[in-house]
Amino acid sequence: MEVILKKVFIIFAAAALAASVSIQSFASAPGGSPGVIELSNEAVSKKVLENGLVLFAKESLPKDLVGISVKVRAGSSLEEEYLGSGISHLVEHMLFKGTRTRRPGSIEKEIKSYGGFINGSVSQDLTEYTIILPAEHAGHALSLLKDMLLNAAFDAAEFDKEKEVILRELRLNNDEPQSLLMRLLNETAYLYHTYKYPLIGYENKFRALRRDDAVKYYNRMYAPNRMAIAIAGGVKPDDILAKAESEFKDFRPPNYKVIGLSPQEPAQIGRRDARKTIATNLAYLAVAFHSTGILDEDLFAMDVLSIIIGRGDNSRLNTSLVKQQGLAHSVTCWNFTPRDPGLFVITALLDPGKLTALAEAIAGQVARVRSGAISSDELEGARRMVIGDYIFNLETLDFQAGNITSDYLFTGNCGFSERYLKGVQAVSLEDLKRVANKYLRDDGITTAAIVPETFKEYPEGGLVPSTAELPAKKIVLPNGLNIVIRQSKKTPTVSITVLMAGGLAVEKLPDNGISNFTANMLLKGTSNRKEDEITGAVEKLGGNITPFSGFDGFGVTINVLSGDLDTAISLLYDILASSVFPEDEIEKARALILAAIRAEDEDIFQRGFYLFRKELFGNSPYALRHAGEREAVSSLTRRSIVNFYKTYTLPGSMIISISGDVDPDALAGKMTKIFSALRSGEILKKEMDCAAPGRVNVRTIRMEKEQSLVVMGVMTAGALDPDRYALEVLSSVLSGHSGRLFDSIRNKAPLAYTLGCFYKSMSHAGFFALYAACAKEKVSRVEQGLMRQIEDIRKRGLADEELLPAKRELICSHGVKMQTNEYFSQTAAIDELYGLGCDDIFRYKAGIEGVTGEDVKRVAVKYLDPDRYSEVVIAGEQAL
C-alpha cells in the first residue's frame, strides 16, 4: 500500500476490444529485414451495469493466473475541500483495515490463503487496487473487492494507528532526495492546478483529518460510476463478467455530481526556480516544461521527443552530458501526461559544483531540438522503443488488467492502445520540431534542485501471454560453454542472459567492485563496435541490454523482439570475444560507479543492508559491496580489468540462457556454430569459507535521517541445501501485509511503517534477515518485537492456518515471475552456475509444496539462534 508517483507514459497494453496488432516497418524479421509483428487476438469483453460500473474481462495466458485491477476516480488532484491532505492515500490504506465482516488484517490473509497478492496505490487522478492470484480463486477475489469497496469499516482504533503509520511514511519521504525533488518541482510548476499537491499530503493538513472525513470521502468517491474493473488471465469472459455483475449490481447508488474540476493552469510566461538544501553529498536537478494531457493530439510527438532527448544510453542528453562532457552521473527525460496537461521533465543526478554547467548544457540541447536537428534514425529508434515497451509489458497479467482500466478511465476508449501506437508511428520530423517550439520554450522553464546544505554556489537566475511451453533444452559445447534454450511463444520477444562465474565470490578488498566494473565495461566498445553501437543499437530495436554483477557471477542480459535475435547474438559474441575497454570509457564508468556508491551511502536502506552483510560475513567475500569500496574502485586500472575479463569470460565457466519465441533446435545449431569459436582457458576455482558468527554482533551507525532502521539476521543454507524451501516459507510467514511482523509490529503496536523479512541463498552460504524502519525512540521495542517472533516460531512452530497461505503465496509469486522471459533466462543461468540445473525452476512448486510445519520449526531452531546473530542499527540523528 505505497504511494506511487506514476509518470503515465501512455504505453497502455492490451486494451483494445480486438487487440490484434500488426506493426509495419518497425519490426525486423530474422536477418534484420523489415517484417510484421502480429500479436495474438485476445478480445476484451465489456459490460456496463445499470449503476454505471464498467466491467472488462480478457482471456489471456497463463491460464492458471488471473490479474484483477480496480481503478477509482479518486486521487490527490480530486480531493476538493481536503486538497493537500492526502486523504485519497489514507482511504486507500483504510480499505485494507477491515470491513463490516472482515477483521483488520484478514483481507491480506485471505488473499494469501488463495496464494495471491493484493496491493493498492494512489496517483494524481486515480486510486488502484490490484490482485493477482490463481485463476480458480478469481470469484473469491471479486467478492473480497466488493466488500472492501462497499463496506470498509473505518474502525476508529485502526484509523488512529494508520494515521501514525502514514506520518512515519511522510517523514521517510522527507529523507528521499528524489521524492523531495518531484514534490518541489510540482509545487513550483503549478500555481493553480491541483497537481501541485503531494500525493501523501502536507503534515498539518493530514493531522487534521478525522474518521468522519475519511468516511465522507469514501462514500462520495467510491461510487460505481466512478470505477472500472478489469479481469485478465485464465478466465472465460462471459462467466467472470456474470460473476462480477452478480457481485456489484447492488453496489451503492451512482454519484453523478461533477467532482474535482481543477482550475485551469495559466500559461507560464517566465522561468520559475526553486531549491532545497538537505544532508546529501550529491545534487538532484529537475528541469520541466508544461506539456500535454492524455487526450491532446500532440501527445504522440511529445512522447517520442522525450525518448530522443533523454531516454536510453544513446539519447541526446546521456550521450552529451554524461558520456562526453561528464556533467552528470545520470540523466533521464519523460513526458508526464495525466488527465489534464502534465509536465515534460528532465532529471539528473550530479556533483553540486556542476549545476550551472549542466543547466546551460540542457538548455543548449533543447535549443538544438527546437531548431529541428533530429535525424530520421533517432525518430526510428524512438518509435522502436515505444513498440518494444508495449510488447514486453504484454507479458504480465497485472499490466494487461491495469491498463485496460487506465485506458477507459483516462480516455473513455478501450482501444486507446491501438490509437496510441498508430499516433506514434505517424509522428514526423516536422511534428517533433513543431511541438518542441510550442512547448519547450525558454520562458516556460521550471527548475527544482536538491543540493547539499554546504553548497552555496547556486546561481541567482535559476537553472537552465502463451501456448504450451517446452521445457528447457541444454547443450554443452566442446569448449565447455553451457547453453540453455527455452521456447515460449506467448509474445514475440526473446531474453538472453550470459552469466560468468565471478561476482563477489572471487573478489578481495583491494579489487572489490571489479566484477561490476567489468560488467559495465562490456558495453563500452569492442574491436568491431563503438560504445554507441552496443546499448544504443539495442535500444533502437525497441529492446534493452543491461549489465549485472552479483554474489557469484556477473554478466549481461539482452531483451529484444524475436525478429532481432540474430543481431543480439552477434552483439553478444562480440562483447564476449573482443571487448577493448577504452581508457576514456573506463574513467567515465569509474565516475558513475563512485557516484552510485555515494548515493548508496546516503540511502538508509541500501547502507543498512550492506553494513548488515559486512557484519554477518566478516572476512568472507560475501561481506563486500557489489559496486565496490571507493578506494578499490578508484585504484582499479585498465590492465587489471582486462586481466579479469580474460580470466573469467571463458566458456568453461560461462552459461548462456535464452528464453522466448525461438526454435530451440535451429537456435542450438546456430549457437554451436558461433560460440564454439570462443577461446578456452584454465578455469580458476575459488574456495570460500563462510563461518557464522559465534556471538551476538550489534553495530550502530548515525545518519542524518528522520527515521531509523534495524536490520538483524543470521547466516543460513546455500543454494544447494534443501533447507532453502523451508526458509522461504518461513520468510513468507513473517513478511508481507498479512505476515507476523506486519501484524505484531505495525498493526497491533504501530512501531514501524516499513518492515519485512527476506532470505537469500548463494553458492557457498545464505542469509536470513529481518528489518524495520521506525522512529529512533522505538528502536528498542522494534528489536524486542522482532526477536519475540523468532523465539515464538522456534518454540511453537507455525499454526496450520499460517503454513498453507505462505506456501500458496510463494507458488503464486513464482508463477507471476515466470510470466517474463527475462526472469527465466536469468534464473536458469544462476541455477546452472550453482549446480542446481537449468530445470530447477520447474521444481520450485513441488519443493515449496513439500514443506511441512515441522520443517519450518526445524530450520528456525537450526539457524535463527538468538545467541548468534548480527544486527545493524541506522540511528536517525534528527530523531535524537
Side-chain angles (χ1 to χ4, degrees), residues 428-435:
S428 67
L429 293 174
E430 291 74 18
D431 291 330
L432 296 177
K433 181 178 180 180
R434 176 180 57 80
V435 297

Side-chain angles (χ1 to χ4, degrees), residues 362-409:
I362 290 174
Q365 289 296 324
V366 171
R368 288 192 67 228
V369 169
R370 287 200 302 261
S371 72
I374 299 174
S375 70
S376 298
D377 285 346
E378 287 178 300
L379 174 55
E380 179 76 4
R383 289 169 168 169
R384 287 295 296 259
M385 286 188 185
V386 173
I387 304 304
D389 284 341
Y390 175 77
I391 295 175
F392 280 112
N393 282 318
L394 283 175
E395 291 184 326
T396 62
L397 294 174
D398 51 341
F399 181 89
Q400 295 179 36
N403 284 282
I404 289 171
T405 51
S406 292
D407 270 0
Y408 181 77
L409 290 181

Side-chain angles (χ1 to χ4, degrees), residues 559-573:
N559 295 307
V560 293
L561 304 179
S562 54
D564 299 314
L565 178 59
D566 286 353
T567 301
I569 291 174
S570 173
L571 189 155
L572 180 61
Y573 178 81

Side-chain angles (χ1 to χ4, degrees), residues 146-212:
K146 186 260 188 81
D147 198 24
M148 291 173 62
L149 297 167
L150 181 63
N151 300 316
F154 290 90
D155 177 83
E158 291 295 323
F159 182 82
D160 291 340
K161 285 197 297 185
E162 207 59 26
K163 282 190 67 178
E164 288 302 312
V165 166
I166 293 175
L167 281 170
R168 292 192 186 93
E169 182 185 358
L170 194 152
R171 292 169 187 147
L172 194 63
N173 281 356
N174 290 336
D175 287 336
E176 297 297 326
Q178 291 285 6
S179 297
L180 287 175
L181 180 69
M182 298 314 299
R183 173 173 163 174
L184 185 63
L185 178 68
N186 288 332
E187 290 172 342
T188 307
Y190 291 106
L191 298 181
Y192 298 99
H193 198 285
T194 52
Y195 287 162
K196 70 183 296 180
Y197 298 110
L199 302 180
I200 201 168
Y202 299 109
E203 184 169 342
N204 62 334
K205 283 184 162 289
F206 177 76
R207 284 185 177 276
L209 291 176
R210 299 293 177 259
R211 178 186 179 277
D212 289 347

Side-chain angles (χ1 to χ4, degrees), residues 583-597:
E583 191 73 55
D584 59 333
E585 293 294 340
I586 285 178
E587 294 311 313
K588 293 176 185 176
R590 192 193 315 276
L592 293 177
I593 294 170
L594 290 172
I597 293 171

Side-chain angles (χ1 to χ4, degrees), residues 437-455:
N437 282 278
K438 180 177 179 181
Y439 297 98
L440 309 186
R441 307 187 324 272
D442 288 338
D443 61 354
I445 292 178
T446 297
T447 66
I450 303 297
V451 297
E453 293 170 332
T454 57
F455 182 66

